Amino acid sequence: MKSLIVHLLSYSLGLYLTANLVQGLYFDSIATLILGAVVLSIVDAIIRPIVMILTLPINFLTIGLFTFVINGLMLKITSFIVPGMDVGGFWTATFAALVLTIISTIINWLISD
């Protein structure tokens, strides 16, 4: 339970920092930000693996670069689900997902045991 809370808080911090760095990614409030982190975690856990398997040939041909597009799509899906969260467009979502991946990796590296 503790690791889940730490994961969600670090993901929320990553989303907050990403929203400050990327124009076009907006949250109405802190509650929306936390809800966005929860929904994005669920979307990444359920929908992303299915999409990864379905797009495996494209991902293979692009040497894994299509994964960035998939991550942007997951962020855009999250913005449709969460009221008060707005992502400007598809390429904004893809760039924000790239920045979020880098920030989340750094945060997880800093807080890992």
Side-chain angles (χ1 to χ4, degrees), residues 8-107:
L8 287 176
L9 288 176
S10 68
Y11 218 46
S12 297
L13 178 62
L15 273 175
Y16 175 76
L17 293 173
T18 303
N20 285 330
L21 292 173
V22 177
Q23 277 188 326
L25 179 61
Y26 301 106
F27 295 95
D28 284 348
S29 65
I30 297 297
T32 304
L33 182 78
I34 294 171
L35 180 63
V38 170
V39 171
L40 186 58
S41 296
I42 293 169
V43 166
D44 279 348
I46 296 172
I47 298 173
R48 187 174 182 267
I50 296 168
V51 173
M52 289 292 286
I53 289 172
L54 292 174
T55 61
L56 194 58
I58 297 170
N59 213 352
F60 181 73
L61 288 174
T62 61
I63 314 167
L65 293 176
F66 194 71
T67 304
F68 296 125
V69 174
I70 294 170
N71 289 343
L73 180 65
M74 297 303 113
L75 193 60
K76 193 70 174 164
I77 289 171
T78 302
S79 73
F80 288 135
I81 296 171
V82 177
M85 178 180 174
D86 184 38
V87 178
F90 177 74
W91 291 111
T92 302
T94 303
F95 181 66
L98 174 65
V99 172
L100 178 62
T101 301
I102 293 168
I103 290 173
S104 294
T105 301
I106 292 170
I107 290 171

Side-chain angles (χ1 to χ4, degrees), residues 6-7 10-11 103-113:
V6 169
H7 171 75
S10 68
Y11 218 46
I103 290 173
S104 294
T105 301
I106 292 170
I107 290 171
N108 287 330
W109 178 70
L110 289 173
I111 65 172
S112 67
D113 295 338

